[in-house]
Amino acid sequence: ALSMIIYTSGTTGAAKSALNTHGSLNAHTRALVCDTISLSETHRELLTLPLTHSYAILTTLLVPLLAGA
């Protein structure tokens, strides 16, 4: 199911949209938690990007939530 539509600014060409599914976000989030980042419930997260930025949503919201941080 569709979970997010990301729009590019068109910096290198025409502006476009990309469709992300729940499965895609879940797979990327789980890959970061399991393979890359070691977080636990004692960790805290500092958000430096706006939540309108797709990378911020993934790394500072979804990954810590999934890891229990």
Side-chain angles (χ1 to χ4, degrees):
L2 182 65
S3 65
M4 180 187 304
I5 301 174
I6 299 173
Y7 291 95
T8 67
S9 62
T11 306
T12 60
K16 301 177 195 127
S17 61
L19 307 177
N20 280 339
T21 64
H22 285 280
S24 174
L25 281 176
N26 188 31
H28 283 87
T29 303
R30 289 187 181 280
L32 280 171
V33 169
C34 297
D35 301 333
T36 308
I37 302 171
S38 297
L39 294 176
S40 71
E41 63 276 355
T42 61
H43 284 87
R44 301 294 178 258
E45 189 72 29
L46 174 64
L47 179 62
T48 57
L49 292 169
L51 282 176
T52 55
H53 195 284
S54 61
Y55 188 74
I57 291 171
L58 182 65
T59 60
T60 60
L61 182 66
L62 297 179
V63 168
L65 284 173
L66 184 63

